[in-house]
Amino acid sequence: DLELMSARQGLRADSTHFTLDGAPFRILGGSIHYFRVPRAYWRDRLLKLKACGLNTLTTYVPWNLHEPERGVYLFQEELDLEAYIRLAGELGLWVILRPGPYICAEWDLGGLPSWLLQDKKMKLRTSYSGFTSAVNSYFDKLIPRITPLQYKNGGPIIAVQVENEYGSYAKDERYMSFIKEALLSRGISELLLTSDNNDGLKCGGVDGVLQTVNLQKLTFGDVQHLAELQPQKPLMVMEYWSGWFDVWGEPHHVFPADTDEQTRSLRELLDRGISINFYMFHGGTSFGFMNGAVDLGTYKPQTSSYDYDAPLTESGDYTTKYHLLRSLLSTYSSMFLQSDDPVNMECLPTNHNNGQSYGYTLYQTDIYSGGDLNSRNHVRDRALVFIDRELIGVLDYRTQKVKISQSKRTLSLLVENCGRVNYGPALDNQQKGLVGDITLDNVPLKKFTMHCLDMKTSFINRLQSQKWTSVGTKPTYPAFFRGSLVVDQPTDTFLKLPNWSKGVVFVNGQNLGRHWSVGPQKALYLPGPWLRSGDNEIVVFEELKAAETVHFAENLEYGKTVDVSTQLFCTLI
């Protein structure tokens, strides 16, 4: 076990996309602060975050609550940070921890304990010895609680943030290096990050630490600025502001989710494969006297409510924003990244980094010339080849080359996992999808975008929100076809697809299996318990050619038959 853990490769930022344990990974995160939510509700709020389509939890750590008096440390009950992190891990979420020591967060003194101000010479957030000695004492107690929960030790923490928006304060060039070393020297070994708004990017970084940006709108070129500062690094919006905080005596801030501006901004970030953390996903409450205040010339204290117009309300209820976000994320859940090399199904960053098991994977890349497309026998198991959505051929074990005409076009390969070997010497080599390079005139193709089409029940259910066109319009393939079967009394039946070609059939979300005109199977068994009285939804995924009807019959029918004993005899020679 120790050898296995030491071999775990955590979150890396070595190219234009993140990897986790060597597999491409995109962070889709949400902020929920444990200290703003009653412990009894932690599980509820985290489950709602996960159900929205997010894979990562982010939280600050408030020093003033954990060390309310100098040398007095509280990490129990409502402040049991370790329990909160472990719970996230149990629910299948990764964690980005933001331990400060300064956290901003619309929290009293940005989370710094007020007893620091007893020192008349105190210079907060600098390398002033009175401040750094207090930080060291606090980190001596805090960090050992965090290190066992890091990814390399089997925990959910995949990244740790160094301070918070220091570029907007920037009073001491040595300070950020001090905080970085304070984390590293105490055993923090996961990826380190900083976060700043656009103006703070230029002086908020520290050597060897990945910079991220905070924003709400894309009109100011913030992401482009970050990309120019850090070429060939992953882009991340650490705080995509879902709303805003309130101050006493002024209107409640809202940022409507259904505006074109917010939808367009979010779609653009997702289209570009950028990692995002929603701040806040659930704001909660600044209980007691913990609210902060703003003073940029005029002092304005903040409210106790930290609703933030977030996707979940202050009391944890769903909002229109939540449902719109969940719907939007679901349409992007199959699109992960752009990778220089094709990634096989099992290594795609889906299912909480467990990879894709079954179904189809779509690989796309731009090509700039024609020639011989050669799979080099790296297609597992069968690929439909498209140029600008026009089918030009099929690649499989027998056919490994397709001719492509000259021009700049988009090449798409829809690769099907036709089933893994269950017997024989090939068990170790059952990775599916594209398992290696494919070449065009002997040059390996690069810069693939990959989409997971696993056709799970959730995937089929999400199709309901897509635009459906009447079959009177000539379809383009591959395509999903939807129809209805009205049943009085459900009973066993067989579903037949005469004049269809190849694909998959779903009834009321249940996957019946594959259909293929090559036979010998001519019908799919549909158990009566999977039908219901009244309407039943039939969805057929068809690769090449559909007919207008689906037939139901009482008996199974096979095509050509062959004597089994002869087949077995042949395999034994």
Side-chain angles (χ1 to χ4, degrees):
D1 283 353
L2 289 174
E3 286 183 358
L4 180 65
M5 286 183 179
S6 66
R8 284 166 65 92
Q9 191 180 70
L11 191 68
R12 297 286 185 270
D14 300 328
S15 66
T16 55
H17 61 266
F18 289 109
T19 60
L20 184 61
D21 209 13
F25 182 72
R26 173 153 73 173
I27 298 163
L28 293 173
S31 291
I32 303 179
H33 300 151
Y34 60 101
F35 48 93
R36 281 186 158 122
V37 179
R39 182 170 180 167
Y41 288 152
W42 286 355
R43 176 179 292 269
D44 172 79
R45 305 307 192 254
L46 297 192
L47 282 171
K48 288 173 176 174
L49 181 147
K50 183 180 178 183
C52 196
L54 303 180
N55 58 27
T56 302
L57 168 71
T58 66
T59 185
Y60 283 128
V61 181
W63 181 4
N64 63 342
L65 292 188
H66 288 296
E67 192 181 1
E69 299 175 14
R70 194 185 299 270
V72 176
Y73 299 97
L74 302 177
F75 289 97
Q76 298 82 35
E77 298 172 353
E78 301 290 323
L79 295 175
D80 194 338
L81 171 62
E82 295 152 280
Y84 187 62
I85 296 170
R86 283 196 300 269
L87 175 61
E90 290 165 12
L91 298 179
L93 294 167
W94 304 114
V95 174
I96 295 177
L97 202 65
R98 310 172 82 189
Y102 167 81
I103 63 171
C104 184
E106 289 69 63
W107 196 253
D108 187 82
L109 201 59
L112 302 176
S114 59
W115 47 257
L116 288 168
L117 300 176
Q118 290 180 329
D119 183 347
K120 301 296 185 186
K121 298 179 181 177
M122 176 57 66
K123 290 188 170 37
L124 302 173
R125 303 178 72 191
T126 69
S127 56
Y128 171 66
S129 61
F131 183 70
T132 56
S133 62
V135 170
N136 280 327
S137 297
Y138 169 53
F139 273 13
D140 282 344
K141 297 295 183 181
L142 172 66
I143 304 304
R145 296 174 178 274
I146 296 170
T147 51
L149 299 169
Q150 294 182 105
Y151 184 85
K152 75 165 190 176
N153 296 322
I157 297 175
I158 57 172
V160 176
Q161 185 175 299
V162 181
E163 235 261 357
N164 189 71
E165 294 187 320
Y166 195 69
S168 301
Y169 196 75
K171 290 191 172 183
D172 187 329
E173 291 181 359
R174 296 173 295 174
Y175 172 66
M176 286 293 281
S177 294
F178 160 72
I179 298 296
K180 173 189 168 185
E181 291 305 317
L183 295 170
L184 293 175
S185 64
R186 290 169 174 83
I188 294 296
S189 56
E190 302 303 330
L191 184 70
L192 295 181
L193 310 164
T194 59
S195 78
D196 287 280
N197 61 27
N198 190 31
D199 291 338
L201 283 173
K202 60 181 178 292
C203 46
V206 59
D207 286 347
V209 175
L210 184 74
Q211 288 188 276
T212 67
V213 70
N214 303 337
L215 56 84
Q216 186 172 65
K217 302 175 182 177
L218 294 180
T219 50
F220 305 113
D222 305 12
V223 173
Q224 188 57 36
H225 184 194
L226 178 63
E228 291 168 357
L229 280 174
Q230 288 186 145
Q232 300 304 306
K233 290 291 183 183
L235 296 173
M236 179 172 182
V237 178
M238 177 58 78
E239 294 184 12
Y240 182 78
W241 298 318
S242 61
W244 203 244
F245 59 86
D246 290 337
V247 297
W248 289 108
E250 293 187 5
H252 172 55
H253 289 87
V254 294
F255 189 40
D258 55 355
T259 61
D260 287 344
E261 183 177 24
Q262 180 161 21
T263 302
R264 188 169 59 249
S265 295
L266 190 49
R267 281 189 184 279
E268 183 177 336
L269 291 170
L270 292 169
D271 282 341
R272 293 178 61 182
I274 294 170
S275 288
I276 305 173
N277 176 64
F278 292 90
Y279 187 98
M280 297 293 295
F281 182 79
H282 168 51
T285 308
S286 301
F287 291 108
F289 296 132
M290 287 299 108
N291 64 276
V294 179
D295 190 350
L296 300 174
T298 304
Y299 173 79
K300 298 178 180 180
Q302 292 148 358
T303 60
S304 296
S305 170
Y306 200 57
D307 180 84
Y308 213 83
D309 193 34
L312 291 180
T313 67
E314 179 180 7
S315 55
D317 293 326
Y318 298 111
T319 64
T320 299
K321 185 174 289 186
Y322 178 97
H323 293 297
L324 288 171
L325 176 60
R326 185 170 184 260
S327 176
L328 183 61
L329 288 174
S330 73
T331 65
Y332 286 87
S333 63
S334 62
M335 177 177 172
F336 292 101
L337 63 119
Q338 288 185 318
S339 169
D340 274 351
D341 300 308
V343 178
N344 61 285
M345 275 189 184
E346 295 78 4
C347 290
L348 287 172
T350 186
N351 298 315
H352 305 292
N353 218 41
N354 287 291
Q356 179 185 348
S357 295
Y358 314 105
Y360 296 74
T361 305
L362 179 64
Y363 296 82
Q364 294 181 306
T365 187
D366 291 331
I367 57 174
Y368 301 90
S369 64
D372 285 328
L373 182 71
N374 190 335
S375 72
R376 302 175 65 188
N377 201 25
H378 288 152
V379 167
R380 300 286 187 277
D381 298 291
R382 185 173 182 271
L384 301 181
V385 183
F386 300 87
I387 295 293
D388 290 342
R389 306 187 73 172
E390 179 185 348
L391 180 67
I392 64 164
V394 177
L395 295 172
D396 55 22
Y397 293 98
R398 290 170 294 184
T399 304
Q400 297 181 20
K401 289 184 179 180
V402 172
K403 191 79 172 177
I404 294 178
S405 59
Q406 189 84 16
S407 68
K408 177 186 180 300
R409 292 172 162 187
T410 298
L411 170 70
S412 303
L413 293 97
L414 182 64
V415 183
E416 179 190 8
N417 168 4
C418 295
R420 293 184 179 84
V421 166
N422 63 283
Y423 181 84
L427 291 177
D428 289 337
N429 303 309
Q430 291 306 300
Q431 292 83 5
K432 298 298 184 179
L434 292 185
V435 299
D437 286 333
I438 58 173
T439 61
L440 184 59
D441 275 357
N442 300 314
V443 178
L445 293 173
K446 300 289 183 180
K447 297 190 182 301
F448 284 89
T449 299
M450 285 153 285
H451 305 253
C452 161
L453 307 173
D454 55 11
M455 301 198 188
K456 292 182 176 180
T457 302
S458 57
F459 178 96
I460 298 303
N461 290 340
R462 287 199 302 269
L463 292 175
Q464 308 309 319
S465 62
Q466 303 302 307
K467 182 181 178 182
W468 291 84
T469 306
S470 168
V471 287
T473 306
K474 184 179 180 182
T476 56
Y477 296 97
F480 289 91
F481 294 83
R482 185 174 67 183
S484 181
L485 172 67
V486 179
V487 174
D488 290 330
Q489 292 183 323
T491 186
D492 286 5
T493 186
F494 288 91
L495 184 150
K496 299 181 178 181
L497 294 139
N499 299 317
W500 295 66
S501 179
K502 187 179 190 303
V504 190
V505 179
F506 305 85
V507 176
N508 296 330
Q510 292 275 5
N511 186 338
L512 299 191
R514 308 173 209 263
H515 74 89
W516 196 354
S517 59
V518 297
Q521 183 175 343
K522 298 293 185 182
L524 287 164
Y525 173 52
L526 173 49
W530 290 4
L531 292 169
R532 49 183 176 244
S533 296
D535 284 343
N536 293 267
E537 183 184 64
I538 313 296
V539 173
V540 181
F541 174 68
E542 174 55 52
E543 296 181 10
L544 297 169
K545 185 186 72 170
E548 292 186 3
T549 57
V550 174
H551 295 185
F552 294 87
E554 189 175 343
N555 299 311
L556 177 61
E557 177 188 335
Y558 284 98
K560 180 182 176 183
T561 61
V562 65
D563 189 285
V564 173
S565 61
T566 305
Q567 288 292 95
L568 286 175
F569 179 75
C570 289
T571 61
L572 292 172
I573 289 178

